């Protein structure tokens, strides 16, 4: 039995059955261990962006639609999908993150299937292991109530379908399934369209391998029209609300290696490098395993193409590159890693010391995995608003005030104090002194609208003149701040920071202060006369 056989059709039926069985059992074990690892982080506190999602999707469907006028248009479809999901359960941490968790497990499985189809069972298993150890995909986004893991799953599903079609042609089912997944992926996150563009070699192969009938042509035309419409709508929404990404900066050349490592993962890069070295050492061998050029071209383009496009787009238009925006490229890198190891394994078998050398080369890869945060455990969220809310609840007094500085820091703590099904204080929570009369839900907004007179005071640099009016009736105010925030991102009028400057200058800071990730909660009291 040869797990490294790239072409299953070349093996005898009995051997192929045994290979299938071993592959299935090993893949199941990899997926199960990954699920066990990731599941430990499902119930930890949501951070700010997740809390915004929770607040948005836990409203009525029409209210969720209304809030899209100021939502991140890049994943409007995710908000609507999760609204329906929350209707089936409760907007708790586990329930909101469960789709992402399942999506990552399914992605690992599909990536293994794709890699095996291209280069054999060893390739599939290596791809699964590489993805299972990916610090961002598993350590972060498997337990994130946001669209990125679901988008990666949809892209990977399209890759499996289109690659299969490049071998045996498009059927009506394949056309409909691929078209549906493209529409879903783009609605989840607009920039997934770049990954689909990278799959052009497979698509061209699929078109050539297909016997076109009138029915198939008609179905393909309808699917293309629907997908084009979804892409256009999502691009318009993404551009319209691009101010929400105003905090981004262009990636400096010195940061390119770190970015590449984040997207691909260091184990994947080391595997690809090892495969390249093995091929270089055996360059005179006429028996280098045969891998389709179309497969290699599509995978390399998928691995680096989206990053290059967004990098250049940032130079020409505005910064738009983050690792999570090109997260599906991690799948391409994992498949390339699997192919590289499969090639190295097969070439090594032709030398007496070859496979011992490959196993020895695996030692530094294992060491890297053990030292990489997020590879073997989930990555802590940047904020812990649930713990902050519980800490305030244990120390607050009736009539306390609350101030967020910067103002955008509000939704996360608001969710745990007053909005979530298990809100720690509800109506008894400290009052947001900068808030107007309408709540975020009543206003169809992410953030609670600020008091109009406070906004005018900030615009005229006269916050000091209204400070006493704003704080009248309060003797204690909890300041929720973000030390080190540079103020570049202002999705809402920034009233919290100038008001906090007056508060810290005029009032007395107490010993009641604690950090919760990037946020800090401090109690201030009115000075005695």
């Amino acid at each position: 039995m040869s797990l490294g056989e790239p072409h299953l059709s070349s093996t005898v039926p009995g051997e192929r059955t045994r290979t299938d069985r071993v592959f299935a059992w090993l893949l199941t074990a990899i997926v199960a261990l990954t699920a066990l690892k990731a599941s430990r982080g499902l119930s930890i506190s949501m951070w700010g962006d997740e809390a915004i999602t929770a607040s948005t999707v836990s409203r009525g469907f029409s209210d969720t639609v209304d809030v899209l006028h100021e939502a991140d248009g890049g994943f409007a479809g995710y908000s609507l999908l999760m609204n329906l999901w929350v209707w089936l359960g409760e907007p708790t941490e586990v329930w909101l993150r469960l789709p992402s968790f399942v999506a990552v497990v399914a992605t690992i499985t599909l990536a293994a299937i794709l890699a095996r189809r291209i280069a054999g069972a060893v390739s599939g298993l290596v791809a699964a292991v590489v993805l299972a150890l990916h610090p961002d995909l598993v350590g972060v986004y498997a337990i994130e109530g946001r669209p990125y893991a679901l988008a990666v799953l949809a892209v990977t599903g399209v890759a499996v379908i289109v690659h299969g079609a490049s071998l045996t042609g498009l059927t009506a089912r394949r056309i409909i399934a691929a078209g549906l997944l493209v529409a879903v992926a783009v609605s989840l996150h607009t920039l997934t369209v770049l990954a689909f563009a990278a799959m052009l070699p497979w698509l061209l192969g699929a078109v050539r391998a297909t016997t076109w009938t009138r029915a198939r042509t008609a179905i393909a035309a309808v699917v293309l029209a629907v997908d084009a419409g979804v892409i256009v709508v999502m691009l318009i929404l993404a551009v319209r609300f691009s101010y929400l990404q105003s905090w981004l900066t262009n990636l400096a050349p010195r940061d390119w290696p770190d970015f590449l490592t984040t997207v691909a993962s260091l184990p994947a890069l080391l595997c690809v490098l090892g495969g390249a070295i093995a091929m270089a050492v055996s360059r005179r061998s006429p028996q280098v395993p045969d891998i389709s050029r179309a497969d290699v071209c599509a995978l390399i383009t998928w691995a680096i193409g989206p990053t290059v496009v967004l990098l250049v787009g940032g130079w020409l238009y505005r910064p738009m590159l983050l690792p999570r925006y090109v997260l599906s490229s991690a799948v391409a890198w994992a498949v390339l890693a699997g192919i590289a190891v499969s090639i190295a394994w097969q070439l090594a078998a032709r030398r007496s010391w070859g496979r011992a050398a490959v196993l020895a080369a695996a030692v530094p890869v294992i060491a890297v995995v053990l030292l990489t945060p997020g590879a073997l455990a989930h990555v802590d969220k940047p904020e812990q608003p649930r713990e902050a809310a519980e800490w305030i609840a244990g120390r607050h007094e009736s009539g306390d005030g609350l101030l967020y500085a910067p103002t955008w820091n509000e939704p996360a703590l608001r969710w745990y104090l007053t909005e979530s099904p298990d809100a720690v204080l509800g109506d008894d929570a400290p009052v947001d002194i900068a808030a107007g009369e309408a709540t975020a839900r009543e206003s169809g907004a992410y953030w609670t609208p600020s008091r109009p007179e406070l906004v005018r005071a900030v615009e005229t640099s006269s916050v000091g003149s209204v400070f006493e009016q704003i704080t009248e009736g309060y003797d204690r105010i909890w300041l929720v701040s973000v030390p080190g925030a540079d103020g570049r991102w202002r999705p809402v009028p920034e009233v919290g920071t100038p008001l906090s400057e007056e508060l810290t200058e005029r009032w007395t800071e107490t010993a009641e202060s604690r950090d919760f990730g990037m946020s800090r909660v401090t109690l201030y009291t009115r000075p005695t006369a």
Side-chain angles (χ1 to χ4, degrees), residues 384-394 413 416-417 424-425 516:
Q384 291 90 46
R386 184 178 66 195
E387 288 77 5
E390 292 170 349
W391 189 74
I392 292 174
L413 191 58
Y416 282 106
L417 283 175
V424 296
L425 289 174
F516 298 91

Side-chain angles (χ1 to χ4, degrees), residues 329-408:
S329 293
V331 176
W333 280 109
V335 175
L336 285 170
I339 293 173
V341 172
S342 179
I343 290 174
W345 189 250
Q346 292 176 72
L347 291 175
R350 294 161 190 155
R351 299 177 182 271
S352 58
W353 48 266
R355 289 191 169 174
V358 172
L359 292 175
V363 174
V365 177
I366 296 173
V368 166
V369 169
L370 295 176
L371 296 175
T372 301
L376 300 178
H378 67 79
V379 177
D380 291 335
K381 301 295 182 181
E383 305 160 11
Q384 291 90 46
R386 184 178 66 195
E387 288 77 5
E390 292 170 349
W391 189 74
I392 292 174
R395 292 160 178 79
H396 96 295
E397 297 178 3
S398 179
D400 280 0
L402 188 68
L403 175 62
Y404 298 96
T407 304
W408 56 256

Side-chain angles (χ1 to χ4, degrees), residues 108-122:
I108 293 172
T109 304
L110 290 180
I113 292 171
L114 177 61
R116 185 189 182 188
R117 185 189 290 163
I118 293 173
V122 165

Side-chain angles (χ1 to χ4, degrees), residues 10-51:
S10 65
T11 61
V12 296
E15 183 177 352
R16 185 166 57 201
T17 301
R18 290 192 296 272
T19 300
D20 290 344
R21 190 180 301 117
V22 173
F23 177 82
W25 277 110
L26 291 176
L27 179 58
T28 299
I30 294 168
V31 170
L33 290 173
T34 304
L36 178 64
K37 177 190 76 170
S39 65
R40 298 175 183 175
L42 282 173
S43 60
I44 65 175
S45 173
M46 290 186 287
W47 68 293
D49 285 7
E50 287 185 286

Side-chain angles (χ1 to χ4, degrees), residues 24-150:
W25 277 110
L26 291 176
L27 179 58
T28 299
I30 294 168
V31 170
L33 290 173
T34 304
L36 178 64
K37 177 190 76 170
S39 65
R40 298 175 183 175
L42 282 173
S43 60
I44 65 175
S45 173
M46 290 186 287
W47 68 293
D49 285 7
E50 287 185 286
I52 286 179
T53 297
S55 177
T56 301
V57 306
S58 61
R59 309 175 191 188
F61 187 80
S62 61
D63 294 329
T64 297
V65 173
D66 289 341
V67 82
L68 294 181
H69 77 276
E70 70 165 38
D72 190 333
F75 49 82
Y78 177 75
S79 297
L80 301 181
L81 174 65
M82 291 304 292
N83 180 276
L84 299 176
W85 176 252
V86 167
W87 181 75
L88 298 174
E90 290 286 338
T92 61
E93 291 90 350
V94 174
W95 189 249
L96 284 169
R97 291 165 173 163
L98 188 58
S100 295
F101 173 80
V102 173
V104 167
V105 171
T107 296
I108 293 172
T109 304
L110 290 180
I113 292 171
L114 177 61
R116 185 189 182 188
R117 185 189 290 163
I118 293 173
V122 165
S123 177
L125 294 175
V126 170
V129 170
V130 167
L131 275 185
L133 297 174
H134 196 286
D136 273 23
L137 181 64
V138 179
V140 177
Y141 295 107
I143 54 170
E144 184 99 331
R146 295 203 291 166
Y148 304 108
L150 286 168

